[in-house]
Every structure is written in structure tokens, then in C-alpha cells.
Amino acid sequence: MENQTPDAVMYLPLYRNIVIKQANHKLVFSWAYGLFSLLLLLYLLLNEKSLFEFLILLFVLCVSTAFALVMYRLYVKSKQMIYAPADRVVNEAVAYFDLRDFERLHEHLKTMDFSTLQDVKVEPSGNIRLDVFVSIDKRFVAAQLFQFIPYRYKAVTPIYHYHGEIAAQFLKYISIN
């Protein structure tokens, strides 16, 4: 199971209920960090009476790099995925399986019985992909199976939603494999 960033999700439009929003607490931190960097840059540029011009140049370079980092944080790192109906922050994970395990996986996703899937192994890559969205508190899971049909993965099951204890059982199965 590997974590994916929101930008790495190739078929995110298939999940109509997943919304990418700005995280306000991350934005405030990024703005404060950016303001500090800008003030430090102005101070260094206006205080050119120093004997250590090389150090000033080095500080200017560091502050410029910090400002670039702020821009990156503002436009990339300050986003989070929200499952709109439940209004919960979710993270995405992807697992791959062999095609021979598809029927078992599909049946157990439908019946919500995950205890007998101990011998189904997660592969580094495979014809079956399981996309999972997990809430931060691990009390909500949305999962869907995809099958590789030449050139792309195509959704072959509906999105299954698990809440509470069933979500915990599902995550226990995923963490075992």
C-alpha cells in the first residue's frame, strides 16, 4: 500500500465526492513564513554597510530559497482532499493485486467480511488496483476496484463506503498485507 499525493491521482474525477480544498492552518503558516522571509530579505538588502558582503549575499540566497519554498507551500502543500458528503479530510492509498484475486476481493468488499482475505497478497503492480480513501481518524473508508484494460485502469466496482468498526477491520486487513 503506497500513499499518493492528490496530484498523483490519475483518475480523481471518477470520485465525484472527493474535493480538494485549501487547509487554512497551512495557509496561515505559509503566509507568516513568507512575511518573515520578505522582511529578512529587505533588512539584508537595506543594511549594506556590513563588512561581510559575502555573508549578506549568502543570506540573500537563503532568504530567496525560503521565499520559493513559501510559494511552493502556498500553492501545493496547502491543499487537502475532503470527502464532501461526510465533510472529512481523507488520504489516498493504492494497492495492486493479481487478476486471479479479483472475484474474492469483489465479493469480500460487498459482504464486508475481510477476515478470510489473509492469503491475498498485495503486489508491487498488477492488473487489479484498489483505490482507498481513509479519513484522518480512520473511522471512514471509501474503496473501489479498478481493472487494467489496455492503456488505463477502468472502474469495475462501485465505491464501497465503510464506517466505524467495519472501517477499522478493513484497515486491519490492509495493514496486514
Side-chain angles (χ1 to χ4, degrees):
M1 196 87 161
E2 63 183 76
N3 290 330
Q4 301 282 321
T5 63
D7 297 332
V9 180
M10 199 177 301
Y11 300 106
L12 194 58
L14 292 174
Y15 300 104
R16 290 181 294 281
N17 292 327
I18 298 294
V19 181
I20 297 178
K21 292 184 178 178
Q22 294 287 342
N24 291 335
H25 65 283
K26 292 180 180 180
L27 280 174
V28 169
F29 175 77
S30 296
W31 278 110
Y33 187 60
L35 182 62
F36 174 76
S37 300
L38 185 63
L39 291 175
L40 185 58
L41 178 64
L42 289 174
Y43 172 76
L44 291 174
L45 290 175
L46 296 175
N47 189 12
E48 61 187 56
K49 297 176 184 175
S50 173
L51 298 175
F52 303 110
E53 292 178 7
F54 177 73
L55 289 177
I56 290 177
L57 180 62
L58 185 65
F59 281 137
V60 169
L61 181 64
C62 290
V63 170
S64 310
T65 303
F67 191 71
L69 179 64
V70 166
M71 291 296 115
Y72 172 73
R73 287 188 56 80
L74 282 173
Y75 291 105
V76 176
K77 292 300 236 179
S78 64
K79 293 179 175 28
Q80 59 188 7
M81 290 189 297
I82 307 287
Y83 183 69
D87 196 31
R88 293 182 182 207
V89 177
V90 293
N91 293 321
E92 186 198 17
V94 177
Y96 295 96
F97 299 93
D98 194 71
L99 185 59
R100 70 177 178 268
D101 297 324
F102 171 72
E103 288 301 323
R104 288 181 62 200
L105 285 167
H106 185 219
E107 186 62 33
H108 290 290
L109 286 174
K110 274 197 306 191
T111 61
M112 294 184 261
D113 177 25
F114 309 111
S115 60
T116 59
L117 289 176
Q118 300 298 331
D119 57 334
V120 176
K121 299 294 181 203
V122 175
E123 305 287 336
S125 65
N127 291 342
I128 300 298
R129 183 180 84 193
L130 176 65
D131 286 5
V132 180
F133 290 97
V134 181
S135 66
I136 299 294
D137 62 359
K138 309 234 186 295
R139 303 301 291 169
F140 171 78
V141 173
Q144 185 174 24
L145 286 173
F146 290 78
Q147 183 176 358
F148 186 78
I149 298 174
Y151 308 114
R152 69 181 186 95
Y153 282 93
K154 179 183 174 197
V156 291
T157 65
I159 300 173
Y160 294 104
H161 302 96
Y162 308 119
H163 301 276
E165 194 59 38
I166 296 172
Q169 289 175 3
F170 178 80
L171 292 174
K172 179 180 175 188
Y173 157 71
I174 291 299
S175 67
I176 289 172
N177 287 322

